Amino acid sequence: MKPPPVSITCTDLTLRFPVYGVDAKSLKKALARVTVGGRLGRHSGVTDVTALQGVNLKLEAGDRLGLIGHNGSGKTTLLRALSGAYEPDEGTIEVNGRIAALLDLGLGIDSSATGYENIRLRGRIAGLTSKEIDERMDEIAAFTGLGPFLAMPVKTYSQGMQGRLAFAAATAVEADVLLMDEWIAVGDAEFQKLAHKRLLKLVERAGILVLATHEAPLLKLYCNKVMKLDGGIASEIMDIRRIDELLAA
Amino acid sequence: MDSATHMLRTGQRGTLFQLQMAARDLRNSFGRIGLAWSLAWHDVASRYRGSILGPFWITLSMGLMTLGIGFLYANLFNIELHIFLPYVALGIVFFAVMTGTINEGCDTFVQAAGMLSQTSLPMFTFLWRTVFRNLINLGHHLVIVIGMLVFYGYWRTANVPLALLGVILMVLNASWLSMLVGIASARFRDIPQIVISVMQFALFMSPVFWRPSKFGDYKAFLDFNPFYHLLEAVRAPLLGTPVEAQSYIVLVAMAVGGWIVTFLIFARTRRRIVHYL
């Protein structure tokens, strides 16, 4: 059976985060609430924060969507929702294709483990089998440029070296849908150039890119569509050439 | 609905739908059971990195505790050493696996917060990680078990298949308890402290260091202790003593009942767990 073409569809996606304050987490309060019938204290319910409100989104292969918006406007939440971590409160999210979320490069990095072990672990989390990781190991190791350091614990690495390792491991995946929170730039000038090329290749191979960033020049470079989020409410998807209208709005 | 190349998340509610999604989570976790295993191995390897004995350190300390308690109590209670020492040794090893699985269950989801908030990995994967990690520890402690059985000649009468059945029942029961405290701890941060205290209490209330035969008229007290049955189902066959049919009934009923309750709670809270963290 041929898999359906790569796509992302969100319909009327609404996401609310219940805020469990320090208070609400206390077992005593919760128990007291049960025993006295839910009338204790002023906040008997849990406060909700609406992070996304009625977002509609339809992307197909070849779409490179840039997400813009102020801090806290819901960009990262939308990316996380697209990665499958959150269940919507209303509406649906449907993604066809293998998803790679490069949201947090540090994900699964264990600083007491060696570089090789971290590459392995990261690969396993991303869904690669041991065999696939073995096949890619040489290429990933070569790309990090860390040579013999890969056999040393990551805590002995400099910040830049850690960045190289995490980047190489995280980008060793095959993905149809690439989710990125800010264009990743790690390492020294030389490595940044290499990393840039690798990311571009990954983006080319992936059918869809969703990139959240504040930098308009980056968007103009990599994206062909743009959407603005404001307080969890999404604008319509526009052609990248109209980005200035959105920024001005 | 969910596969490597297809993901669907909806705001649909309803008991049936939530049960379906919980079942899907469980199924997907079996599909990626290798990941849980890798994570568990990684946990063990990284906890003991740089130490010479590694997990055998706990084995060593358990061994010493066994010898100390064994010799002391054997004299206090006037029990022969060849009876009491293996009894205590097996008790300590298997009770530690139970305690470990349940206590570490408190951290299952809290520890996985990073992964849960940016991937679509099944929740159950992290339960299996905790369970596997404790089974790997048990693997190390088997040195004590086998050593005792061989040294005191119990291997001739040990009923290994029956003991394996006991281990399976133990794991089935410890894992639902682990899952339950995992969900509860994610929501209420008081739970881990309570769980640790309860397990400590259970250790002294259960026949780990003492023999039930000392109980006489108060045997009923033991019958209501689930940990007694859990321990007996593994230990008794290895020491060549019979297990009461009642123990198996309790264990099977507990496993079925416990899993049903845990699964229902999981179905209800599944979509919220990531927000608790």
Side-chain angles (χ1 to χ4, degrees):
Chain A
M1 202 177 75
K2 214 171 133 263
V6 179
S7 70
I8 297 180
T9 317
C10 294
T11 37
D12 296 325
L13 168 65
T14 296
L15 255 176
R16 293 188 203 98
F17 287 166
V19 181
Y20 302 96
V22 184
D23 258 14
K25 258 180 187 150
S26 145
L27 187 60
K28 194 175 77 184
K29 290 263 166 70
L31 287 178
R33 230 176 13 235
V34 173
T35 48
V36 299
R39 294 251 174 259
L40 191 80
R42 258 160 287 168
H43 313 280
S44 55
V46 184
T47 323
D48 275 336
V49 171
T50 305
L52 295 174
Q53 176 85 56
V55 174
N56 282 296
L57 190 63
K58 198 160 174 53
L59 298 174
E60 282 159 2
D63 284 346
R64 315 261 180 262
L65 178 71
L67 291 178
I68 54 174
H70 297 295
N71 293 332
S73 58
K75 302 188 296 293
T76 304
T77 305
L78 180 57
L79 289 174
R80 287 185 172 188
L82 292 177
S83 80
Y86 297 143
E87 197 109 327
D89 287 86
E90 283 157 39
T92 58
I93 311 167
E94 187 168 12
V95 178
N96 281 308
R98 288 160 304 177
I99 306 167
L102 303 183
L103 304 183
D104 172 11
L105 274 189
L107 176 71
I109 294 286
D110 174 355
S111 65
S112 66
T114 67
Y116 285 120
E117 285 169 314
N118 273 300
I119 294 174
R120 239 163 236 296
L121 195 64
R122 181 67 214 236
R124 295 290 282 149
I125 295 170
L128 299 179
T129 63
S130 286
K131 215 176 124 232
E132 286 172 316
I133 298 171
D134 285 337
E135 287 164 8
R136 285 164 206 211
M137 191 54 103
D138 289 340
E139 184 265 327
I140 301 172
F143 184 79
T144 61
L146 293 172
F149 277 97
L150 281 175
M152 308 254 285
V154 169
K155 63 185 170 199
T156 63
Y157 292 14
S158 72
Q159 200 81 39
M161 289 162 76
Q162 284 188 24
R164 282 175 172 234
L165 177 77
F167 178 84
T171 50
V173 291
E174 295 286 335
D176 306 314
V177 173
L178 197 59
L179 308 173
M180 252 196 281
D181 202 357
E182 298 294 338
W183 188 261
I184 306 162
V186 288
D188 49 31
E190 190 194 345
F191 186 76
Q192 283 197 11
K193 248 187 257 162
L194 286 173
H196 192 82
K197 261 201 226 148
R198 188 179 169 94
L199 264 188
L200 279 182
K201 250 207 281 188
L202 201 61
V203 171
E204 270 164 36
R205 276 207 309 267
I208 299 177
L209 166 75
V210 182
L211 168 67
T213 181
H214 292 286
E215 296 187 46
L218 273 180
L219 288 175
K220 285 179 185 157
L221 210 54
Y222 303 122
C223 299
N224 55 17
K225 292 187 172 177
V226 66
M227 185 170 97
K228 186 179 182 180
L229 280 165
D230 194 1
I233 297 172
S235 73
E236 57 180 310
I237 297 177
M238 290 187 184
D239 190 272
I240 193 71
R241 277 165 294 191
R242 292 170 63 196
I243 186 172
D244 294 323
E245 284 173 45
L246 273 181
L247 285 174
Chain B
M1 204 162 18
D2 251 24
S3 67
T5 59
H6 183 238
M7 189 222 29
L8 178 64
R9 296 276 181 276
T10 73
Q12 197 184 334
R13 303 292 164 76
T15 313
L16 191 65
F17 179 74
Q18 282 173 333
L19 282 173
Q20 273 174 5
M21 291 300 282
R24 178 161 305 130
D25 188 283
L26 183 60
R27 220 173 30 241
N28 288 346
S29 79
F30 288 132
R32 300 194 61 180
I33 201 78
L35 173 63
W37 186 249
S38 302
L39 288 169
W41 260 114
H42 181 85
D43 287 340
V44 174
S46 77
R47 188 176 301 178
Y48 299 103
R49 195 176 306 280
S51 92
I52 300 168
L53 291 183
F56 284 113
W57 270 116
I58 315 181
T59 308
L60 187 69
S61 85
M62 268 185 193
L64 288 174
M65 187 157 87
T66 303
L67 289 178
I69 292 174
F71 279 109
L72 180 68
Y73 282 32
N75 279 312
L76 282 178
F77 293 149
N78 277 323
I79 310 172
E80 286 184 71
L81 202 62
H82 75 273
I83 295 178
F84 194 63
L85 199 57
Y87 179 84
V88 172
L90 268 55
I92 290 179
V93 167
F94 290 110
F95 204 86
V97 175
M98 266 192 290
T99 313
T101 309
I102 296 167
N103 283 352
E104 290 172 22
C106 296
D107 283 333
T108 297
F109 296 120
V110 178
Q111 195 188 28
M115 280 187 241
L116 286 175
S117 64
Q118 51 182 309
T119 61
S120 55
L121 291 177
M123 300 267 175
F124 267 107
T125 293
F126 299 96
L127 171 67
W128 306 139
R129 174 192 195 171
T130 303
V131 171
F132 286 154
R133 190 167 58 221
N134 281 281
L135 286 179
I136 293 169
N137 285 339
L138 173 64
H140 290 86
H141 305 333
L142 280 184
V143 172
I144 297 180
V145 174
I146 293 168
M148 282 291 164
L149 295 182
V150 170
F151 189 78
Y152 286 105
Y154 283 97
W155 58 274
R156 288 189 209 95
T157 51
N159 188 343
V160 177
L162 203 59
L164 277 179
L165 175 69
V167 170
I168 292 170
L169 285 170
M170 180 187 265
V171 171
L172 275 177
N173 276 300
S175 49
W176 73 255
L177 276 161
S178 186
M179 182 77 175
L180 201 59
V181 299
I183 297 171
S185 306
R187 178 69 181 85
F188 302 107
R189 299 298 155 103
D190 306 272
I191 300 285
Q193 316 303 328
I194 299 174
V195 171
I196 289 168
S197 313
V198 168
M199 290 311 294
Q200 178 98 34
F201 183 69
L203 170 67
F204 292 107
M205 286 295 132
S206 307
V208 178
F209 305 126
W210 42 268
R211 294 170 63 80
S213 55
K214 290 269 158 199
F215 248 65
D217 295 341
Y218 296 100
K219 171 102 180 18
F221 174 81
L222 277 181
D223 291 338
F224 286 103
N225 182 349
F227 296 104
Y228 161 69
H229 299 290
L230 283 167
L231 200 52
E232 274 307 288
V234 185
R235 181 165 61 181
L238 287 176
L239 296 178
T241 43
V243 183
E244 292 172 57
Q246 187 206 4
S247 286
Y248 286 114
I249 296 170
V250 171
L251 291 181
V252 170
M254 210 165 81
V256 173
W259 264 114
I260 289 175
V261 170
T262 305
F263 195 76
L264 289 176
I265 291 178
F266 173 66
R268 258 191 88 80
T269 54
R270 187 188 53 84
R271 55 192 302 279
R272 284 284 172 230
I273 291 176
V274 67
H275 298 307
Y276 295 158
L277 302 169

